[in-house]
Amino acid sequence: MCTNPSLILADEPTGNLDSRSSAELMSLFTSLHDQGRTIVMITHEPDIAAYASRVVVLRDGEIVSNRPQDASNAVSYELAPRSLLLRGSGDEG
């Protein structure tokens, strides 16, 4: 973060973390987003996906859902598909 990147790519950043560490990391990502950074994150965890302002769901290599969401809403899936999370300034479309 020392170079102040405008884009952060995070592939399963909470995959091997305990719940407390995951919450701390998501707090950091939220703070960075509030400073104008765009965060692209891959996760299988619905509680982590709930932090995103946009969720793109992939299944079998195809986009099955691409929607903005209120980051305060929980995301729930019967089968936790691989999700691509986009956090940005709202200019993504």
Side-chain angles (χ1 to χ4, degrees), residues 8-31:
I8 299 168
L9 303 176
D11 185 7
E12 295 282 353
T14 61
N16 291 319
L17 300 179
D18 59 61
S19 297
R20 183 178 183 162
S21 297
S22 292
E24 289 174 4
L25 179 61
M26 295 314 299
S27 177
L28 173 63
F29 280 177
T30 298
S31 175

Side-chain angles (χ1 to χ4, degrees), residues 15-93:
N16 291 319
L17 300 179
D18 59 61
S19 297
R20 183 178 183 162
S21 297
S22 292
E24 289 174 4
L25 179 61
M26 295 314 299
S27 177
L28 173 63
F29 280 177
T30 298
S31 175
L32 291 169
H33 174 255
D34 291 344
Q35 295 172 26
R37 308 249 176 59
T38 297
I39 300 170
V40 178
M41 180 172 56
I42 308 297
T43 188
H44 289 93
E45 301 174 69
D47 58 325
I48 297 301
Y51 283 86
S53 58
R54 175 174 294 276
V55 176
V56 178
V57 178
L58 304 175
R59 185 168 288 124
D60 298 329
E62 301 287 328
I63 295 174
V64 296
S65 176
N66 178 358
R67 69 183 183 285
Q69 74 174 14
D70 180 348
S72 66
N73 291 336
V75 177
S76 173
Y77 300 108
E78 285 183 31
L79 300 173
R82 189 163 179 88
S83 299
L84 171 65
L85 309 179
L86 302 177
R87 290 191 63 108
S89 60
D91 299 333
E92 295 88 21

